[in-house]
């Protein structure tokens, strides 16, 4: 913010026109005039008229535009709010250019707290002014004991502290014992204390923490990758970096993939620092969001733990960014602005000249390569803390030990579950498929139930009595008869979902307490409660989707069974093997984190597959080496670059036609290949037909330049057609 103070103090006369970036998909800022007596430096948050509306925007950088100030509409108001500082403005420009998104849409992510720009109103309070009341009851005496020192209190705070009812306070107020004062609103969270309850770090943890602490002290751009098995103490180690950041008086940001579900993390932070970090995610109440935004901007909030969009919070003095579970696909936003928060965190650190720390038990291939090539400093924690053993892992060859007819669990798996619950320990069965069955068909005519608006099968949800589309949310009651041939009661469920596994488990273990954990079965609150219940041992068998893979600590969980280890391997995604490896390692890593002997069992039809072998042998390095070699051969990321372009329209012909014209508009550039258009694997979503183009370039190719040229020379934009550009795509559907 300092860099702007000169402009603020000495506005030059020719600066009466300012560019303002408004939160709209416009290609750049619009010009506004500054009324007499109003000064707004770059970064100031302002209200401007736009068409018939008033919108909030940010004064942007950039020289004088050649427009006549008299014809412009004026800036209406400057908010009493810290401006977006220069690194943040550069960051917005950078993300826009990289993702090929309008800068206004990126700025919108930084301004998503409508009422945060006005200061919070002061709250009423009172202060003892020396008069002793006529009648001194014991209750009144208690109040005076608390407030006699002349400090300010809120009414309710004083009543609470003195242990009296608010009527006692009111009575004293009427007698003129107190004077009324106005207090700034209390901060949302108390500031964390660097040295509240530090843990004693084990030797290699200590060395790792030292590296990070030095990076924070150096206060310049660096990237470290903490790569360590689950339970090795990665969190403990980066907490030391946060502690140092707090000592330096700077703010820290922790990005987590599933913040809404990580109560355990917040509690742990509280144990270490004496207060919780501020949370930031989409489930926050609007009022809380606004407070977090404002108090991050004013610096009252010192540490934010948030989902990817926390990257766009206006920190007053950011000194450190941590990206935990950096490999997690949830860091990729695939809506409006397509960006990967892990990568953009590194960019933000570079523009803000501060350290970033990426953390994972199973780092992404991209980060592995970056650390091998020396761009990131690798910090390795090879063993679990305090001798907690890793679970011993075994494959179940489903060809040799098949489940009984109609079932999905091998007798070996069932026996292991049996043994676990006999010992009063917990078993987790993992299947990344919501609902009862992924496909329903008619046994008589073969009709398959498909979404009317998407090219995807309807998934039966038996708890709800519905069949649902997981693409668009379309749902209908589960039919009794086949709509095609009319036969009653001949519909069959094909394949398993978590509900169906629960049914099988209940058949075998009717006495056990079985719990299904799936994102469609209740909101965040309910999930949080269920996770806590599991941690307290209030379930014997948990059946869950990937929700359970993320960061929870279940002390009694000693068996993890993967129902279908092959699920993720069979699609056209270049990261399929990596994802499967990460997810399975993460889930099996849930077991035995507190020292009890633990097991992981993976049901597979391809026991020889390198992914399966890497997981059971515990030789992660062998897996990465092989994967990195393959990627390099195929020039896939990070050795080459990809941009995916999806063209969608109401009619198939229109979508295909537009995609073909785009292709013809592509400039000839050596090293860049254009594939397609081809119908997307998900050929229709919400009634819109989809065609895909894939741009494949070298590591140093100007992908953005290529795509921009293609879009500019290509067919005119039409309302009925949507073109979505996804730089560094994660999804190939
Ligand atoms: P990771 O993040 O690598 O999965 P954690 O930081 O969660 O590992 O550590 C695993 C468990 O071991 C946690 O319960 C943590 O509190 C404990 N732990 C790790 N290191 C220490 C330490 N130095 N002192 C006390 N407890 C530790
Ligand atoms: Zn659908």
């Amino acid at each position: 913010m300092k860099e702007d103070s000169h402009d603020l103090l000495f506005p030059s006369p020719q600066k009466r026109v300012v560019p303002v970036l408004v939160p709209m998909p416009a290609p750049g800022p619009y010009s506004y005039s500054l009324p007499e007596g109003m000064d707004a430096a770059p970064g100031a948050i302002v209200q401007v008229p736009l068409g018939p509306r008033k919108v909030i925007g940010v004064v942007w950088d950039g020289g004088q535009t050649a427009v006549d100030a008299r014809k412009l509409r004026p800036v209406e108001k400057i908010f009493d709010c810290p401006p977006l500082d220069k690194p943040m403005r550069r960051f917005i420009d950078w993300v826009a250019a990289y993702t090929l998104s309008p800068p206004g849409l990126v700025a919108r992510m930084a301004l998503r707290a409508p009422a945060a720009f006005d200061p919070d109103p002061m709250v009423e309070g009172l202060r003892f002014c020396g008069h002793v009341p006529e009648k001194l009851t014991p209750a009144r005496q208690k109040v005076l004991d608390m407030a006699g020192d002349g400090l300010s209190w809120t009414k309710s705070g004083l009543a609470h502290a003195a242990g009296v009812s608010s009527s006692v306070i009111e009575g004293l107020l009427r007698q003129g014992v107190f004077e009324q004062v106005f207090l700034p609103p209390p901060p949302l969270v108390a500031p964390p204390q660097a040295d509240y309850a530090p843990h004693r770090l084990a030797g290699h943890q200590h060395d790792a923490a030292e590296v990070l602490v030095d990076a924070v002290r150096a206060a310049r751009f660096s990237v470290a990758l903490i790569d360590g098995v689950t339970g090795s103490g990665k969190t403990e180690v980066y907490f030391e970096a946060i502690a140092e950041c707090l000592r330096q008086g700077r703010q820290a940001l922790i990005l987590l993939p599933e913040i809404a579900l990580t109560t355990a993390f917040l509690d742990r932070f509280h144990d270490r620092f004496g207060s919780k970090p501020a949370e930031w995610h989409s489930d926050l109440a609007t009022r809380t969001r606004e407070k977090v935004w404002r108090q991050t901007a004013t610096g009252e909030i010192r540490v934010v733990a948030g989902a990817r969009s926390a990257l766009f919070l206006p920190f007053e003095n950011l000194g450190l960014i941590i990206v935990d579970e950096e490999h997690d696909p949830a860091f990729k936003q695939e809506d409006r602005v397509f960006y990967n928060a892990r990568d953009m965190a590194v960019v933000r650190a570079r523009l803000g000249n501060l350290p970033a720390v990426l953390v994972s038990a199973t780092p992404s291939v991209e980060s592995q390569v970056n650390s091998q090539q020396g761009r990131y400093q690798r910090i390795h924690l090879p063993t679990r803390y305090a001798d907690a053993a890793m679970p011993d892992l075994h494959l179940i060859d489903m060809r040799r030990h098949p489940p009984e007819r109609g079932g999905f669990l091998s007798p070996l798996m069932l026996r292991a579950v049996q043994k676990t619950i006999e010992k009063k320990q917990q078993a987790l069965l993992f299947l990344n498929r919501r609902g009862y069955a992924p496909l329903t068909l008619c046994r008589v005519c073969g009709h398959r139930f498909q979404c009317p608006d998407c090219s995807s099968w309807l998934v039966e949800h038996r708890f709800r009595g519905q069949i649902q589309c997981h693409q668009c949310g379309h749902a209908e009651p589960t039919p009794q008869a086949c709509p095609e041939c009319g036969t009653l009661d001949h519909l069959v469920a094909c394949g398993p979902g978590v509900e169906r596994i629960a049914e099988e488990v209940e058949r075998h273990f009717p006495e056990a307490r079985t719990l299904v954990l799936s994102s469609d079965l209740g909101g965040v609150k309910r999930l949080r409660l269920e996770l806590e219940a599991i941690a307290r041992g209030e379930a014997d068998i948990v059946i869950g989707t990937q929700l359970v893979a993320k960061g929870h600590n279940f002390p009694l969980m000693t068996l993890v069974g993967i129902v279908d280890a092959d699920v993720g391997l069979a699609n056209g995604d270049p990261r399929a093997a990596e994802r499967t490896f990460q997810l399975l390692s993460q889930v099996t890593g849930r077991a035995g984190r507190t020292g009890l002997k633990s097991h992981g069992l993976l049901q597979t039809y391809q026991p020889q597959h390198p992914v399966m072998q890497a997981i059971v042998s515990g030789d992660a390095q062998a897996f990465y080496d092989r994967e990195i070699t393959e990627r390099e051969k195929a020039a896939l990321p990070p050795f080459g670059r990809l941009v995916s372009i999806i063209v969608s329209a109401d009619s198939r012909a229109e979508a295909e036609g537009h995609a073909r014209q785009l292709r013809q508009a592509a400039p000839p550039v050596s090293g860049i290949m254009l594939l397609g258009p081809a119908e997307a694997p998900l050929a229709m979503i919400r009634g819109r037909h989809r065609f895909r183009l894939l741009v494949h370039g070298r590591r140093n190719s100007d992908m953005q330049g290529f795509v921009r040229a293609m879009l500019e020379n290509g067919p005119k934009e039409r309302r009925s057609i949507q073109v979505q550009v996804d730089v560094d795509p994660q999804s190939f559907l």
Side-chain angles (χ1 to χ4, degrees):
M1 267 153 284
K2 282 190 206 80
E3 79 276 2
D4 301 325
S5 56
H6 178 85
D7 295 355
L8 199 65
L9 292 173
F10 308 102
S12 43
Q14 65 269 37
K15 276 231 174 129
R16 303 312 298 174
V17 179
V18 287
V20 175
L21 191 58
V22 294
M24 309 283 151
Y30 295 136
S31 295
Y32 285 88
S33 68
L34 270 184
E36 204 59 40
M38 187 190 271
D39 288 306
I45 296 177
V46 294
Q47 177 180 300
V48 291
L50 188 76
R53 289 185 298 157
K54 296 174 188 312
V55 299
I56 285 166
V58 190
V59 175
W60 219 241
D61 309 77
Q64 181 73 32
T65 38
V67 282
D68 182 350
R70 282 164 307 184
K71 290 205 179 127
L72 292 175
R73 300 178 77 182
V75 171
E76 289 173 349
K77 170 176 176 185
I78 300 178
F79 288 92
D80 177 10
C81 160
L84 294 188
D85 65 7
K86 196 168 191 173
M88 188 64 191
R89 301 198 302 274
R90 291 294 71 73
F91 181 58
I92 290 171
D93 281 335
W94 203 98
V95 172
Y98 188 82
T99 61
L100 294 163
S101 311
L105 276 192
V106 182
R108 210 170 85 126
M109 299 197 286
L111 296 175
R112 225 184 259 161
F117 313 121
D118 283 317
D120 263 348
M122 302 287 260
V123 295
E124 255 178 62
L126 31 81
R127 185 164 54 205
F128 180 56
C129 50
H131 303 293
V132 178
E134 299 140 27
K135 216 170 83 216
L136 205 55
T137 62
R140 288 182 171 178
Q141 184 60 53
K142 278 196 243 166
V143 174
L144 293 188
D145 289 347
M146 291 308 296
D149 57 7
L151 295 179
S152 302
W153 291 80
T154 61
K155 272 187 214 167
S156 59
L158 182 54
H160 184 80
V164 302
S165 73
S166 58
S167 60
V168 177
I169 310 281
E170 295 291 349
L172 289 172
L173 195 57
R174 273 195 302 274
Q175 291 197 16
V177 171
F178 290 113
E179 60 182 348
Q180 202 178 34
V181 292
F182 287 91
L183 307 169
L188 202 59
V189 283
Q193 299 160 46
D195 299 302
Y196 182 77
H199 284 160
R200 215 174 158 54
L201 296 188
H204 59 290
Q205 291 181 334
H206 179 82
D207 298 344
E210 200 88 309
V211 175
L212 298 185
V213 165
D214 285 347
V216 173
R217 283 207 186 116
R220 48 183 150 65
F221 173 60
S222 63
V223 188
L225 172 66
I226 311 184
D227 165 7
V229 295
T230 47
S232 57
K234 298 185 292 298
T235 316
E236 297 293 334
V237 168
Y238 75 66
F239 274 180
E240 291 317 301
I242 294 174
E244 182 59 26
C245 185
L246 292 170
R247 282 183 213 112
Q248 306 284 331
R250 306 185 75 182
Q251 293 165 295
L253 167 63
I254 311 164
L255 294 180
L256 299 165
E258 207 76 54
I259 177 75
L261 291 176
T262 36
T263 335
F265 175 85
L266 301 176
D267 291 342
R268 221 175 132 181
F269 187 95
H270 186 282
D271 291 346
R272 169 65 183 80
F273 293 102
S275 71
K276 287 188 182 177
E279 281 181 75
W280 178 264
H281 53 79
S282 55
D283 286 319
L284 288 184
T286 311
R287 202 58 205 103
T288 312
R289 274 178 89 76
E290 288 164 357
K291 282 198 167 140
V292 176
W293 193 95
R294 185 159 186 102
Q295 295 183 7
T296 305
T298 57
E300 283 163 279
I301 286 177
R302 308 309 299 167
V303 181
V304 176
R308 57 190 179 222
S309 56
L311 208 45
F312 292 91
L313 280 170
F315 287 89
E316 185 239 355
N317 185 8
L318 187 60
L320 173 68
I321 306 177
I322 311 272
V323 186
D324 202 350
E325 312 282 8
E326 67 90 32
H327 64 278
D328 199 297
F331 282 123
K332 181 71 189 265
Q333 168 160 307
E334 291 173 337
D335 179 28
R336 286 166 188 271
V337 179
F338 286 57
Y339 71 97
N340 186 323
R342 189 252 334 267
D343 300 340
M344 294 307 119
V346 173
V347 171
R348 182 149 191 204
R350 184 160 54 71
L351 296 174
N353 200 26
L354 52 103
V357 181
L358 311 182
V359 184
S360 176
T362 51
S364 60
V365 167
E366 281 83 350
S367 297
Q368 289 279 15
V369 171
N370 277 325
S371 80
Q372 281 179 6
Q373 298 182 346
R375 273 188 294 273
Y376 297 174
Q377 177 166 20
R378 179 169 184 238
I379 298 174
H380 189 49
L381 296 173
T383 52
R384 279 193 164 179
Y385 175 70
D387 306 323
M390 289 299 282
D392 72 65
L393 302 175
H394 294 282
L395 300 177
I396 297 180
D397 183 343
M398 295 300 274
R399 296 164 307 185
R400 290 178 46 208
H401 306 281
E404 64 182 43
R405 227 182 112 78
F408 299 91
L409 300 174
S410 160
L412 299 186
M413 184 71 88
L414 290 168
R415 208 172 309 144
V417 172
Q418 173 84 45
K419 278 198 191 148
T420 307
I421 60 178
E422 274 168 8
K423 284 188 283 189
K424 303 270 178 260
Q425 294 172 355
Q426 291 173 312
L428 167 69
L429 295 176
F430 170 83
L431 178 65
N432 210 8
R433 276 205 184 122
R434 294 185 282 133
Y436 184 83
L439 167 68
T440 303
L441 55 77
C442 169
R443 199 179 334 200
V444 176
C445 72
H447 173 76
R448 295 167 169 218
F449 287 80
Q450 195 180 351
C451 176
D453 302 320
C454 305
S455 42
S456 62
W457 306 126
L458 292 175
V459 177
E460 184 183 355
H461 286 247
R462 208 162 270 193
F463 291 171
R464 293 228 162 113
Q466 284 182 336
I467 47 178
Q468 294 180 1
C469 170
H470 285 183
Q471 288 307 320
C472 72
H474 167 90
E476 50 190 89
T478 309
Q480 297 298 307
C482 173
E484 199 63 32
C485 69
T487 316
L488 268 174
D489 295 330
H490 272 71
L491 302 182
V492 276
C494 300
V498 280
E499 293 179 8
R500 197 169 192 182
I501 297 300
E503 193 180 85
E504 187 173 350
V505 162
E506 278 157 13
R507 211 163 49 234
H508 287 278
F509 307 104
E511 307 290 306
R513 296 166 300 171
T514 300
L515 180 71
V516 177
L517 214 56
S518 174
S519 58
D520 57 317
L521 299 174
V524 169
K525 276 221 182 80
R526 173 162 163 194
L527 285 170
R528 281 190 169 180
L529 291 175
E530 286 180 338
L531 290 164
E532 285 165 21
I534 297 169
R536 287 194 302 268
E538 290 168 15
D540 303 308
I541 307 172
V542 180
I543 297 144
T545 58
Q546 66 175 5
L547 275 182
V548 299
K550 294 185 180 164
H552 318 293
N553 208 351
F554 304 132
L556 286 174
M557 186 120 356
T558 57
L559 174 68
V560 169
I562 311 282
V563 175
D564 185 354
D566 306 326
V567 138
L569 288 174
N571 59 31
D573 179 344
R575 292 190 186 83
E578 179 190 344
R579 290 268 181 264
T580 303
F581 173 77
Q582 285 160 341
L583 189 57
L584 299 186
S585 307
Q586 212 81 30
V587 180
T588 52
R590 290 303 109 215
R593 288 163 59 102
T594 39
L596 294 170
K597 175 114 191 69
S598 64
H599 309 270
L601 291 173
L602 293 81
Q603 298 194 147
T604 174
Y605 287 89
Q606 316 171 50
Q608 296 314 320
H609 195 287
V611 170
M612 300 303 144
Q613 289 300 321
I615 293 170
V616 286
S617 67
D619 192 353
Q621 201 51 52
F623 170 76
Y624 281 112
D625 289 346
R626 177 181 167 279
E627 189 64 21
I628 289 171
T629 313
E630 305 261 301
R631 296 262 183 106
E632 191 160 16
K633 262 195 281 182
L636 285 169
F639 302 98
R641 305 185 57 203
L642 298 172
V643 178
S644 149
I645 301 170
I646 300 257
V647 180
S648 65
D650 289 334
S651 87
R652 192 177 181 283
E654 210 180 358
E656 185 173 16
H658 195 91
R660 283 197 188 292
Q661 283 177 292
L662 264 184
R663 190 198 162 99
Q664 280 153 12
V669 175
S670 94
I672 296 187
M673 247 179 5
L674 185 55
L675 309 165
E679 193 160 58
L682 273 169
M684 185 162 83
I685 296 185
R686 293 172 204 274
R688 295 184 63 85
H689 295 262
R690 306 167 78 240
F691 275 79
R692 270 191 41 178
L693 291 154
L694 191 65
V695 187
H696 188 176
R698 298 197 188 119
R699 190 173 180 129
N700 58 1
S701 298
D702 177 11
M703 304 292 277
Q704 281 80 3
F706 179 87
V707 174
R708 218 177 289 116
M710 201 168 134
L711 295 173
E712 275 161 17
N713 306 336
K716 286 253 163 332
E717 280 181 35
R718 265 178 290 158
R719 267 193 172 280
S720 57
I721 288 176
Q722 199 195 354
V723 178
Q724 246 173 21
V725 178
D726 184 355
V727 178
D728 306 333
Q730 301 254 356
S731 163
F732 294 83
L733 299 175

